[in-house]
Amino acid sequence: MTGRPTDLTRRAALRAGALAVLAVPLAACGPGYDESPDPLQPLLAAAEADAAAARALAKGDDADAAGQLADARAAHAAALKSEVDRLNRPKPPASPTPPAPAGLGDLKERLATARKQAEDLVGGLPRYRAGLVAAVAAGCGALQRTAPALGPGEDAPAPAGTTAAVPAEAVDPLQTALAAEHAAVWVYGLVSAFLPGDFGDAEKAGAAEHAVRRDLLQTMLSASGATPVAPEAAYVPKKPVTDAKSASLVVATAEADCASAWLAVVNHTDDGALRTTALHALVAASRRGTPWRSEAGEKPVAIAMPGQAS
């Protein structure tokens, strides 16, 4: 008497499991599902191809630069694949496989193209995706400064003022970005006494650009009715600054902090103009920080996904 109910229960469970499996593709085609090709798929394909090509070149004189390029582009591919798989949208037609590069310089144009494709997408994506793709763009910009054969690449456009009101949800991230810019200006002033003369141009250019972004943020926040955060009287580096190497490290850290702050702005606004301002600042900090990381002996020289928590 007890066997039949057990059989029925087992049969019902199997039937329910089968229906649950069928529900996955059915749900994907239900209301709200976007059947257009995923715009991140071309970025993913390019990152995977670049990682494989660079890995094949990681030997001889180019071993270090090619290896770092391969690792960074593999990190881009992994992050993009996770998001592409999450939404499971249709894939666009596959692009032709690029020819195998004969040397590191053959990847220069591919890296520049990947950066531009990512930058062009940031303005029209949902917030999380915009932040992800902005980090990929900044990573490509940083990689362009790791070896002469790969760059130097274009610098981000100079900071430009805006009279538009700051969206309310962006005020706090912009205050954080302003605090990071205050700190960067202070850091560049600190390290000038520890850097040799041939660092002078880079030190002056970095200090000047951060001062411009600081002033821009103060204007934007004041125009929106917020009180801009004030600078600290002084800042305490994580490690003492005693020579050119430690000075380079504290500058690289300040640039990374600015990158994190500006990526948070991208993640907290749908405003296209503000996203563009934040993206340019993110790319600029990532590119500027790369040679300082090199001087400090940091590995990898370029941060793969600038602004993201490691």
Side-chain angles (χ1 to χ4, degrees):
M1 293 295 292
T2 59
R4 187 165 180 76
T6 302
D7 290 342
L8 287 173
T9 301
R10 185 181 298 115
R11 193 175 299 119
L14 290 172
R15 186 182 299 115
L19 290 173
V21 172
L22 289 173
V24 174
L26 290 175
C29 298
Y33 176 67
D34 190 343
E35 297 187 21
S36 62
D38 194 325
L40 269 59
Q41 184 65 44
L43 296 181
L44 169 58
E48 290 176 334
D50 289 352
R55 191 75 66 201
L57 294 173
K59 53 190 175 183
D61 293 340
D62 292 333
D64 185 52
Q68 291 192 54
L69 173 60
D71 290 344
R73 293 297 277 153
H76 296 168
L80 291 165
K81 187 176 188 306
S82 178
E83 175 61 11
V84 168
D85 289 349
R86 183 181 72 85
L87 289 194
N88 193 31
R89 285 168 59 177
K91 295 182 179 180
S95 301
T97 302
L104 194 61
D106 292 340
L107 293 173
K108 176 179 179 176
E109 193 61 35
R110 285 165 58 167
L111 191 58
T113 298
R115 173 186 164 186
K116 186 176 188 311
Q117 287 177 335
E119 289 176 342
D120 290 347
L121 283 175
V122 170
L125 293 172
R127 291 184 185 182
Y128 171 74
R129 287 191 145 207
L132 169 64
V133 173
V136 170
C140 290
L143 286 166
Q144 290 176 307
R145 301 206 68 184
T146 57
L150 294 174
E154 294 184 4
D155 287 330
T162 176
T163 58
V166 173
E169 69 273 10
V171 170
D172 285 347
L174 286 172
Q175 293 279 29
T176 302
L178 175 56
E181 294 294 349
H182 279 315
V185 171
W186 184 90
V187 162
Y188 273 97
L190 167 70
V191 300
S192 59
F194 298 92
L195 297 173
D198 55 354
F199 283 65
D201 289 345
E203 182 265 322
K204 291 176 183 176
E209 184 164 339
H210 283 293
V212 170
R213 293 196 192 281
R214 175 202 62 194
D215 295 346
L216 171 63
L217 282 165
Q218 289 175 327
T219 300
M220 292 170 62
L221 287 164
S222 295
S224 298
T227 301
V229 64
E232 301 289 340
Y235 299 83
V236 180
K238 292 181 180 179
K239 296 182 179 180
V241 178
T242 58
D243 55 16
K245 184 175 181 179
S246 57
S248 297
L249 180 58
V250 76
V251 174
T253 302
E255 296 292 359
D257 289 345
C258 286
S260 296
W262 283 109
L263 181 60
V265 176
V266 176
N267 284 329
H268 285 84
T269 185
D270 298 316
D271 184 88
L274 184 54
R275 273 194 191 175
T276 298
T277 296
L279 172 65
H280 290 166
L282 167 63
V283 171
S286 305
R287 285 175 52 79
R288 196 164 43 244
T290 299
W292 291 109
R293 285 177 60 84
S294 178
E295 291 294 337
E298 293 292 285
K299 294 290 185 179
V301 172
I303 298 174
M305 303 282 287
Q308 290 200 345
S310 56

